[in-house]
Amino acid sequence: MTHFASTAAQLDACRRCAMPILVALDEGIVVRVDLLPLASIGAQVEALAAGIPTYARLHDGQLAYRCSTRLSDPRMTERVHARHACTTRRTA
Ligand SMILES: [Zn+2]
């Protein structure tokens, strides 16, 4: 059975907009999320409705994708972060 690596989130800065973000591997995929967690369940719903993936920051610091079967998992209802989406365009 193959296991893909997951790592604890590390503080970083977005290369394009310089905003502070968290970066981690989630099952072998690089994930970049906003540093601040979503403030409420309403904000989580808004993110999902807008098509923005959300990730839970687990107790070991790893970021876990909140697919539809994980939304009610009690380990994934706190410290929910939205995938980072740049709002600043890169200048040439
Ligand atoms: Zn950015």
Side-chain angles (χ1 to χ4, degrees), residues 64-82:
Y65 176 61
R66 298 175 75 229
C67 62
S68 59
T69 60
R70 293 174 167 174
L71 292 178
S72 61
D73 185 325
R75 298 172 302 160
M76 296 189 175
T77 55
E78 297 179 14
R79 299 198 304 173
V80 174
H81 299 256

Side-chain angles (χ1 to χ4, degrees), residues 6-7 9 12 15 23 27-28 40 45 49-50 55 57-58 60 63-64 66-67 70 72 76 79-80 84 88 91-92:
S6 294
T7 60
D12 201 350
R15 304 288 189 270
V23 179
E27 298 181 350
S40 65
V45 171
Y55 293 82
R57 191 172 178 193
L58 305 177
D60 60 6
L63 297 174
R66 298 175 75 229
C67 62
R70 293 174 167 174
S72 61
M76 296 189 175
R79 299 198 304 173
V80 174
H84 178 66
T88 303
T91 56

Side-chain angles (χ1 to χ4, degrees), residues 12-73:
D12 201 350
C14 176
R15 304 288 189 270
R16 294 197 311 176
C17 69
M19 291 291 292
I21 58 174
L22 295 173
V23 179
L25 278 179
D26 176 34
E27 298 181 350
I29 298 172
V30 176
V31 173
R32 295 174 178 85
V33 299
D34 293 334
L35 175 61
L36 295 179
L38 295 167
S40 65
I41 188 71
Q44 295 175 26
V45 171
E46 285 181 20
L48 294 172
I52 301 170
T54 61
Y55 293 82
R57 191 172 178 193
L58 305 177
H59 291 293
D60 60 6
Q62 294 183 7
L63 297 174
Y65 176 61
R66 298 175 75 229
C67 62
S68 59
T69 60
R70 293 174 167 174
L71 292 178
S72 61
D73 185 325

